[in-house]
């Protein structure tokens, strides 16, 4: 008999909620803190709002983990309606607390409803592409064990590349990882950093650098092409590009280059969320790709 | 005393301390090294193999994986980071051990199986394995462990109790391998293996091994001096100053067995207790021994380059196929294949051909070529360099401003030569001061290339020269050196010409450009792609004219100000007004000849 499955995701997926074609889904909101005040995404408090604030004011924003009570509320509300819950969680390396909360709730409800927590080892658009892949598996009526093993495979072969002109937001948020090597250059550079599924460290890592967005985009394309070659695949599965909408020329250049030279089954232009903009800052954009 | 390996962090701690212990004793191991060729870096290779693996280990302090799984990750990283013959064999051993311990069973029986598997994996993975090497020590550890496990329960303690036996076996390695006997040393890889175990033992007992070994240069000088003394047969040996010294020197601290025997024989000869015929035969025997020792430290190196690579293969090729592909290029071939990733070690005279042949089957993620002749020269010299780094990107520049820029872009070391181009001697000194085994050297001026090549041949490191022509090409190259992969496979050195640029300077004499354009003495001129394209009397006018004609479809124009233009006005506001669709940036380069370098990106 077909299992009824609820998917739980958060608002750090780099996708508009309408872009997800699955009715049984609930979203958690990440709180963000600015000057000791908590904000959650709303019509007022958007990614654009924060980027503008970053540009005009010298503020420091940070995120906190998902709220356990929010997660319990969702599970409580749905536990009798579904046979299984699949919770697609952001990288446990980037936020150990989020994954710990998810695991804790899973344990609390272990005799009530089974919960599968998928550690995407990704952030923003990377979580989004993995979420879309998992939804496809659910639609194909894969059983829970298959969902777990297939998810592991796509987590290992999903990469996020982030073009972040100013790494200070990532640095202040304590998420800089190995990309710190790209900071403090006398010559202004545009860093290209990555969260690579096949990198066991799970940390943000330097991938490249350029002096102009066009250079960085070309580099990014060549990295993707090399990866396709390494995986011996003709076509990638999904690409999701998310920008803060303040650097249209660079993003248009990237899309053009992608469409002309990277074979992919589906290229999506995602939407930014408030939480995703916290560590990226102005003029940044994120491309995530599920290769296999 | 029990070693408890039930926490991942404890395993990591042991590995880290073992590495530190090995690092401190690497020079001791280097000085023993005579096999397979005396490249003198067995200690460094073993240390770097473990160092590389430790550096790549993710943080598992949250206990997300078991100690056994952790060791497996460590062993895999060791494989990918292995250096030299000894490093590769050690990583093969680690891999075998981890295949058993991955189940997280650290019982004495399981550890025995692990040691057995480790030895088998190392032996099977080595082409032409030989007794008297590290492999013998690995085998003996397994044997002795098996014997002692009848009486002891704690596997850690059993391993510690095996160490004295292994030391005895090590002493016997010269009897197993003629090369060792001839040189009067024990096997370096085997000694390294014991030091690794001692590092673990030290975790328990804090015991320090003795690491005093006579440097090879002193050994060779001693043999030369003894020969001279013997050949001066007309005078009584013991009455010369050196003869008297050798007659009375204590040999208990001379660890080289062959040298110790020679000195003892020499002492016997010099005290005149032998009759004439015995004296002559004793002299002959000593001279023969001296010849043997010297020959063993001055070998013929058939294959000059110790070559290693990691190939991520997209095609399914077998180990056998890989062997067929490159086996004829040299010897000391070790091939390890793990899930399509090949780690290969070979001694060859044609490293480029090896790389070119294998790159048809996948992507080279790492390449390394060590010149063993050069390493050997360093090894036997009086001023042996103790390498402290594996690799350095070394730039040679004129301007102080560029020094800072290149440093920030990832150059590891920079030699700033100022106004006068550096001499070969200065370059050799600068290269040797880096104490780095592999140096990627790139100058900011094509006129330095010749002296750099000569300096490289005289230096004690492996120097790969990048034929860069100017400082902008160094910026371009370093922008391409953005991650470990493109540094490891050297692909960043192909990025020299990615940035278009021109330079503006002042003519010191009347010059005619190729197209007939005349530049008067004292006029400014623009050089673009090796040709004079513009000239003028006023610097700012020429600069504007040059930008107008050379900024084609570019977005960013960068001015690197040289020393001659250091005090000139800030031109950016005017430029931004004149060329509103371009972005401008200005940096101080500090170059001596050109007022400005201008890049177009």
């Amino acid at each position: 008999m077909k299992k009824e499955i609820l998917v739980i995701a958060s608002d750090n997926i780099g996708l508009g909620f309408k872009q997800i074609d699955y009715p049984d889904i609930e979203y958690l909101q990440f709180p963000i803190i600015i000057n000791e005040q908590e904000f959650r995404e709303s019509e007022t408090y958007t990614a654009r709002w924060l980027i503008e604030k970053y540009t005009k004011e010298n503020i420091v924003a940070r995120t906190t983990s998902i709220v356990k009570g929010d997660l319990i509320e969702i599970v409580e509300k749905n536990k009798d309606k579904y046979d299984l819950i699949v919770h697609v969680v952001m990288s446990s390396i980037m936020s150990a607390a989020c994954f710990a909360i998810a695991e804790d709730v899973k344990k609390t409800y272990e005799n009530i409803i089974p919960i599968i927590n998928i550690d995407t080892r990704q952030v923003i658009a990377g979580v989004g592409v993995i979420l879309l892949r998992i939804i496809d598996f659910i639609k194909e009526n894969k059983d829970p064990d298959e969902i777990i093993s297939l998810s592991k495979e796509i987590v290992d072969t999903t990469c996020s590349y982030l073009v972040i002109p100013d790494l200070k937001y990532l640095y202040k948020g304590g998420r800089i990882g190995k990309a710190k090597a790209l900071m403090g250059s006398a010559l202004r550079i545009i860093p290209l950093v990555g969260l690579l599924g096949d990198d066991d460290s799970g940390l943000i890592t330097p991938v490249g650098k350029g002096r102009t967005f066009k250079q960085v985009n070309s580099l990014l394309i060549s990295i993707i092409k090399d990866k396709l070659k390494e995986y011996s695949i003709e076509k990638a599965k999904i690409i999701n590009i998310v920008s803060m909408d303040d650097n249209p020329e660079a993003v248009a250049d990237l899309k053009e280059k992608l469409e002309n030279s990277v074979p992919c089954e589906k290229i999506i232009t995602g939407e930014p969320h408030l939480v995703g903009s916290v560590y990226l800052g102005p003029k940044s954009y994120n491309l995530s790709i599920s290769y296999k | 005393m029990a070693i408890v390996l039930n926490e991942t962090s404890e395993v990591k701690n042991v590995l880290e301390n073992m590495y530190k212990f090995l690092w401190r004793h690497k020079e001791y191991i280097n000085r023993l090294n005579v096999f397979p060729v005396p490249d003198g870096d067995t200690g460094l290779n073993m240390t770097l193999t473990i160092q590389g693996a430790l550096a790549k280990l993710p943080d598992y302090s949250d206990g997300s994986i078991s100690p056994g799984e952790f060791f497996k990750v460590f062993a895999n990283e060791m494989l990918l980071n292995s250096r030299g013959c000894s490093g590769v064999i050690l990583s093969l051993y680690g891999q075998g051990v981890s295949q058993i311990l991955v189940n997280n069973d650290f019982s004495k029986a399981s550890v025995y199986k692990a040691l057995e598997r480790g030895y088998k994996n190392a032996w099977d993975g080595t082409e032409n394995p030989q007794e008297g090497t590290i492999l013998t020590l690995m085998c003996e550890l397994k044997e002795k462990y098996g014997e002692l496990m009848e009486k002891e329960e704690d596997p850690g303690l059993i391993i510690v109790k095996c160490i004295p036996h292994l030391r005895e076996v090590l002493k016997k390695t010269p009897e197993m391998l003629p090369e060792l006997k001839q040189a009067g040393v024990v096997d370096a890889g085997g000694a390294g293996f014991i030091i690794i175990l001692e590092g673990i033992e030290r975790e328990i007992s804090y015991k320090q091994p003795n690491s005093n070994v006579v440097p090879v240069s002193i050994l060779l000088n001693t043999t030369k001096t003894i020969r001279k003394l013997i050949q001066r047969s007309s005078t009584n040996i013991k009455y010369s100053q050196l003869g008297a010294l050798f007659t009375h020197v204590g040999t208990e601290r001379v660890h080289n067995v062959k040298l110790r025997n020679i000195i003892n024989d020499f002492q016997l000869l010099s005290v005149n207790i032998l009759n004439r015929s015995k004296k002559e035969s004793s002299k002959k025997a000593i001279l023969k021994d001296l010849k043997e020792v010297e020959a063993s430290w001055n070998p013929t190196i058939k294959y000059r380059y110790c070559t290693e690579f990691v190939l991520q293969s997209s095609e399914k090729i077998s180990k056998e196929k890989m062997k067929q592909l490159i086996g004829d290029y040299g010897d000391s071939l070790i091939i390890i294949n793990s899930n399509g990733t090949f780690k290969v070690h070979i001694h060859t005279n044609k490293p480029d051909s090896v790389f070119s042949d294998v790159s048809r089957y996948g992507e080279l993620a790492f390449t390394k070529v060590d010149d063993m002749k050069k390493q050997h020269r360093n090894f036997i010299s009086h001023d042996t360099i103790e390498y402290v780094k594996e690799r350095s990107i070394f730039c040679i520049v004129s301007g102080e401003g560029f020094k800072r820029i290149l440093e920030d872009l990832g150059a590891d070391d920079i030699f700033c030569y100022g106004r006068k181009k550096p001499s070969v001697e200065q370059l050799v000194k600068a290269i040797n001061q880096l104490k780095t085994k592999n140096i990627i050297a790139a100058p900011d001026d094509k006129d330095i290339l010749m002296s750099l090549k000569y300096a490289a041949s005289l230096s004690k490191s492996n120097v790969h020269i990048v034929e860069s022509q100017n400082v902008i090409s160094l910026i371009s190259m370093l922008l391409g050196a953005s991650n470990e992969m493109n540094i490891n496979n050297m692909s960043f050195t192909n990025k020299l010409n990615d940035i278009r640029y021109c330079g503006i300077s002042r003519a010191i004499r009347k010059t005619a450009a190729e197209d007939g354009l005349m530049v008067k003495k004292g006029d400014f001129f623009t050089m673009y792609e090796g040709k004079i394209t513009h000239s003028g009397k006023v610097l700012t006018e020429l600069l504007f004219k040059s930008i107008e004609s050379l900024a084609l479809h570019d977005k960013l124009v960068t001015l690197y100000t040289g020393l001659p233009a250091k005090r000139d006005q800030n031109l950016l506001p005017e430029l931004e007004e004149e060329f509103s669709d371009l972005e401008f940036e200005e940096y101080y380069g500090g170059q001596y000849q050109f007022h400005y370098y201008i890049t177009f990106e």
Side-chain angles (χ1 to χ4, degrees):
Chain A
M1 204 174 78
K2 190 188 160 198
K3 276 191 185 289
E4 295 300 321
I5 301 174
L6 173 74
V7 174
I8 301 177
S10 309
D11 59 354
N12 66 339
I13 47 175
L15 289 168
F17 298 135
K18 286 182 186 163
Q19 292 180 295
I20 299 162
D21 181 21
Y22 189 73
D24 303 304
I25 185 163
E26 293 268 8
Y27 298 99
L28 288 158
Q29 278 196 318
F30 274 92
I32 75 154
I33 312 288
I34 304 171
N35 298 336
E36 304 308 315
Q37 199 187 337
E38 184 181 309
F39 295 85
R40 292 202 188 194
E41 188 169 63
S42 66
E43 278 187 13
T44 311
Y45 303 124
T46 60
R48 286 172 207 97
W49 168 79
L50 183 62
I51 293 298
E52 215 175 300
K53 227 169 155 53
Y54 271 150
T55 316
K56 290 179 181 167
E57 304 166 39
N58 187 23
I59 58 150
V60 178
R62 64 185 171 87
T63 57
T64 70
S65 71
I66 50 169
V67 179
K68 190 175 170 184
D70 293 352
L71 180 57
I72 288 178
E73 198 180 307
I74 290 174
V75 176
E76 198 57 40
K77 191 171 77 182
N78 294 288
K79 66 181 193 312
D80 301 326
K81 293 188 227 162
Y82 294 93
D83 305 310
L84 174 69
I85 294 176
V86 177
H87 184 180
V88 182
V89 194
M90 73 172 286
S91 162
S92 65
I93 308 283
M94 292 289 114
S95 172
C98 282
F99 200 73
I101 288 169
E103 285 289 282
D104 199 28
V105 171
K106 174 184 170 177
K107 204 173 170 198
T108 309
Y109 284 85
E110 65 187 343
N111 296 322
I112 300 164
I113 181 163
I115 301 176
I116 298 171
N117 289 323
I118 307 286
D119 179 1
T120 58
R121 296 165 62 83
Q122 284 295 333
V123 294
I124 319 177
V127 183
V129 292
I130 291 176
L131 172 68
L132 292 177
R133 298 292 307 276
I134 289 172
I135 286 173
D136 285 344
F137 298 147
I138 294 171
K139 286 180 178 172
E140 288 162 15
N141 293 324
K142 304 280 186 207
D143 66 43
D145 286 343
E146 273 182 299
I147 292 174
I148 292 171
S149 69
L150 288 168
S151 300
K152 194 175 167 351
E153 266 177 51
I154 55 163
V155 165
D156 287 345
T157 52
T158 295
C159 295
S160 283
Y161 304 99
L162 303 114
V163 181
I164 309 181
D166 192 343
L167 290 172
K168 76 176 177 199
Y169 305 100
L170 208 54
Y171 178 71
K172 285 179 179 172
R175 305 292 202 276
I176 189 80
K178 298 179 207 167
K180 198 176 174 190
L182 294 175
M183 286 188 80
S185 171
L187 193 68
R188 187 182 66 87
I189 55 158
I190 300 170
L192 173 62
V193 300
L195 202 51
L196 314 176
D198 52 6
D199 174 12
D200 288 340
S201 77
L203 296 171
I204 302 263
T205 189
V207 174
K209 51 189 179 265
R211 294 269 292 138
T212 64
F213 287 106
K214 282 191 173 182
Q215 282 174 358
V216 177
N217 289 345
S218 299
L219 176 66
L220 177 46
I221 297 295
S222 73
I223 288 167
I224 294 174
K225 283 174 160 178
D226 285 348
K227 207 75 183 169
L228 288 172
K229 221 162 101 184
E230 186 190 321
Y231 285 145
S232 308
I233 45 173
E234 303 261 306
K235 257 184 185 184
K237 286 284 178 189
I238 306 180
I239 291 176
N240 182 17
I241 305 169
V242 189
S243 74
M244 298 301 132
D245 287 347
D246 59 345
N247 197 356
E249 205 184 323
V251 176
D253 175 67
L254 176 62
K255 281 184 189 165
E256 193 189 323
K257 284 179 170 137
L258 261 181
E259 279 156 14
N260 290 336
S261 55
V262 175
C264 183
E265 287 178 17
K266 199 193 273 182
I267 299 179
I268 301 166
T269 303
E271 285 180 20
H273 289 275
L274 176 63
V275 60
S277 62
V278 170
Y279 299 124
L280 297 188
K283 306 264 182 204
S284 55
Y285 47 97
N286 162 207
L287 178 150
S288 295
I289 175 165
S290 180
Y291 284 100
K292 278 186 175 176
Chain B
M1 201 179 318
I3 298 176
V4 184
L5 293 178
N6 57 358
E7 294 294 341
T8 304
S9 53
E10 276 185 49
V11 177
K12 193 176 179 209
N13 212 16
V14 170
L15 292 173
E16 277 172 352
N17 287 331
M18 175 198 78
Y19 155 70
K20 285 176 196 160
F21 193 70
L22 184 62
W23 173 264
R24 283 202 297 278
H25 295 87
K26 68 179 189 315
E27 211 44 38
Y28 157 69
I29 305 167
N30 284 346
R31 286 173 185 175
L32 294 172
N33 186 221
V34 287
F35 184 75
V37 288
D39 44 358
D41 63 351
T42 293
L44 185 69
N45 283 334
M46 292 177 102
T47 310
L48 289 173
T49 299
I50 297 175
Q51 183 193 60
L54 283 172
K56 294 278 172 58
L57 282 178
D59 182 14
Y60 290 124
S61 54
D62 59 353
S64 56
I65 63 171
S66 71
E69 288 166 333
F70 178 81
F71 189 75
K72 176 85 182 153
V73 175
F74 172 74
N76 286 343
E77 287 297 343
M78 251 183 39
L79 192 68
L80 292 174
N81 289 282
S82 54
R83 303 277 202 281
C85 256
S86 48
V88 176
I89 295 174
L90 187 66
S91 68
L92 281 166
Y93 184 75
Q95 226 196 13
V97 169
S98 74
Q99 283 163 8
I100 302 294
L101 295 185
V102 71
N103 297 327
N104 209 33
D105 178 0
F106 286 90
S107 66
K108 68 174 180 180
S110 169
V111 171
Y112 175 74
K113 274 189 205 158
L115 298 178
E116 196 174 33
R117 179 72 66 86
Y119 163 65
K120 192 174 181 316
N121 206 44
W123 182 272
D124 292 348
T126 308
E127 289 290 323
N128 306 319
Q130 296 204 45
E131 289 297 351
T133 64
I134 188 171
L135 293 164
T136 302
L137 274 293
M138 288 165 175
C139 177
E140 285 294 328
L141 173 62
K142 169 202 70 141
E143 295 292 322
K144 190 71 184 170
Y145 183 101
E147 192 185 311
L148 293 176
M149 69 189 271
E150 307 290 322
K151 301 167 202 160
E152 283 288 347
E153 282 308 309
D154 174 30
L157 200 56
I158 302 174
I159 290 176
V160 168
K161 285 193 169 179
C162 291
I163 293 174
H165 170 72
L166 296 181
R167 285 195 195 112
E168 289 305 313
V169 174
L170 182 68
K171 277 186 200 163
K172 290 177 193 157
T173 52
E175 300 305 320
M176 304 175 207
L177 210 56
E179 288 91 336
L180 298 175
K181 193 173 186 182
Q182 203 178 11
V185 291
V186 295
D187 178 62
F193 185 67
I194 293 183
I195 283 176
I196 289 171
L197 298 176
E198 283 174 334
I200 298 169
E201 180 191 12
R202 195 167 166 269
E203 282 289 298
I204 302 166
S205 63
Y206 296 98
K207 202 176 166 194
Q208 296 267 9
N210 182 358
S211 63
N212 291 328
V213 166
V214 179
V216 179
S217 58
I218 294 179
L219 184 147
L220 291 173
N221 267 349
T222 310
T223 57
K224 271 183 207 158
T225 310
I226 293 178
R227 181 195 289 109
K228 273 186 194 165
L229 285 168
I230 290 176
Q231 285 169 340
R232 237 190 278 156
S233 55
S234 57
T235 55
N236 195 330
I237 293 164
K238 71 175 178 183
Y239 294 129
S240 74
Q241 283 181 350
L242 280 170
L245 175 70
F246 279 115
T247 306
H248 294 99
V249 74
T251 54
E252 62 282 354
R253 290 190 64 196
V254 179
H255 290 259
N256 188 297
V257 180
K258 199 91 183 180
L259 184 63
R260 193 166 60 213
N261 291 342
I262 289 171
I263 297 174
N264 286 338
D265 290 347
F266 177 80
Q267 288 174 341
L268 203 62
L269 181 74
S270 61
V271 291
N272 273 330
I273 54 166
L274 305 172
N275 63 35
R276 180 181 283 266
S277 71
K278 278 197 175 165
K279 250 187 184 176
E280 281 312 307
S281 62
S282 173
K283 272 184 188 176
K284 272 184 191 164
I286 294 173
L287 286 170
K288 185 174 167 272
D289 284 351
L290 287 170
K291 204 174 166 188
E292 273 181 15
V293 170
E294 283 165 4
S296 69
W297 293 104
N298 288 297
T300 308
I301 296 175
K302 189 177 169 194
Y303 294 110
R304 181 170 179 168
Y305 299 102
C306 174
T307 306
E308 287 171 34
F309 62 86
V310 172
L311 180 81
Q312 283 164 346
S313 175
S314 47
E315 290 178 41
K316 281 184 182 163
I317 60 167
S318 64
K319 206 170 152 179
E320 205 46 45
K321 166 90 182 165
M322 179 64 81
K323 194 175 157 186
Q324 277 173 12
L325 197 63
I326 60 168
D328 291 341
Y329 279 118
D331 62 13
S332 300
L333 179 65
I334 301 175
I335 302 170
I336 303 163
N337 181 12
S338 170
N339 300 324
T341 299
F342 283 90
K343 168 85 198 189
V344 179
H345 170 278
I346 186 171
H347 292 167
T348 177
N349 288 325
K350 294 179 176 174
D352 289 341
S353 304
V354 170
F355 296 149
S356 149
D357 281 8
V358 298
S359 60
R360 283 185 281 132
Y361 294 91
E363 197 173 352
L364 282 167
F366 169 82
T367 59
K368 189 218 74 175
V369 179
D370 285 350
D371 183 339
M372 294 190 291
K373 270 194 182 168
K374 190 172 272 192
Q375 279 177 245
H376 181 59
R377 213 161 50 217
N378 174 37
F379 186 48
I380 61 170
S381 68
H382 296 285
D383 51 349
T384 306
I385 289 180
E386 188 179 331
Y387 301 127
V388 292
K389 271 193 288 182
E390 165 68 10
R391 179 188 57 209
S392 168
I393 300 175
F394 176 51
C395 294
I396 299 139
V397 294
S398 156
E400 279 290 340
F402 279 119
K403 177 176 184 265
R404 162 111 203 272
I405 288 170
L406 296 174
E407 255 166 11
D408 288 349
L409 286 179
D412 300 299
D413 296 287
I414 295 184
F415 176 60
C416 192
Y417 60 86
R419 189 183 293 276
K420 272 175 71 184
K421 294 204 173 66
S423 66
V424 171
E425 191 189 358
Q426 282 174 311
L427 289 169
V428 172
K429 202 173 159 196
I431 290 170
N432 285 343
Q433 273 174 352
L434 300 180
K435 293 187 173 182
T436 302
K437 200 170 150 195
N438 297 294
I439 295 171
I440 301 157
D444 70 345
D445 190 324
K446 62 177 187 295
D447 293 343
I448 297 174
L449 279 171
M450 187 79 96
S451 36
L452 181 61
K453 281 177 186 170
Y454 192 47
S457 71
L458 297 175
S459 77
K460 297 186 170 181
S461 301
N462 298 302
V463 184
H464 173 93
I465 294 173
V466 179
E467 304 229 343
S468 44
Q469 310 267 316
N470 56 70
V471 74
I472 302 302
S473 63
L474 298 188
I475 291 178
S476 184
M477 174 185 86
L478 289 170
L479 279 169
S482 15
N483 57 52
E484 229 169 295
M485 173 96 161
N486 52 41
I487 295 175
N488 280 341
N489 65 15
M490 303 273 285
S491 62
F492 73 103
T493 58
N494 303 326
K495 306 262 178 198
L496 293 174
N497 301 316
D498 282 7
I499 302 177
R500 270 192 327 119
Y501 79 101
C502 70
I504 296 182
S505 185
R506 190 169 214 166
I508 50 167
R509 61 172 180 272
K510 191 176 166 189
T511 312
E514 268 181 36
D515 64 354
L517 176 74
M518 289 304 293
V519 184
K520 290 180 192 158
K521 182 182 174 186
D523 277 5
F524 294 96
F525 63 93
T526 305
M527 285 285 286
Y528 176 69
E529 294 185 342
K531 289 178 190 162
I532 296 173
T533 54
H534 305 83
S535 72
K537 290 202 176 305
V538 183
L539 177 63
T540 46
E541 281 178 18
L542 179 68
L543 189 136
F544 275 68
K545 200 158 72 173
S546 303
I547 292 174
E548 190 178 14
S549 67
L550 294 173
L552 306 169
H553 307 290
D554 305 288
K555 183 89 187 148
L556 176 66
V557 176
T558 310
L559 274 60
Y560 295 96
T561 314
L563 210 61
K566 194 178 179 183
R567 295 184 195 287
D568 288 1
Q569 63 175 112
N570 177 7
L571 297 172
L572 288 198
E574 275 181 66
L575 285 166
E576 278 161 356
E577 198 182 325
E578 179 72 22
F579 305 101
S580 56
D581 53 343
L582 289 172
E583 257 182 70
F584 286 90
E585 287 179 12
E586 186 175 9
Y587 298 94
Y588 176 63
Q591 67 274 18
Y592 283 81
Q593 288 178 352
F594 283 86
H595 290 61
Y596 290 100
Y597 282 123
I598 306 168
T599 62
F600 306 96
E601 294 170 88

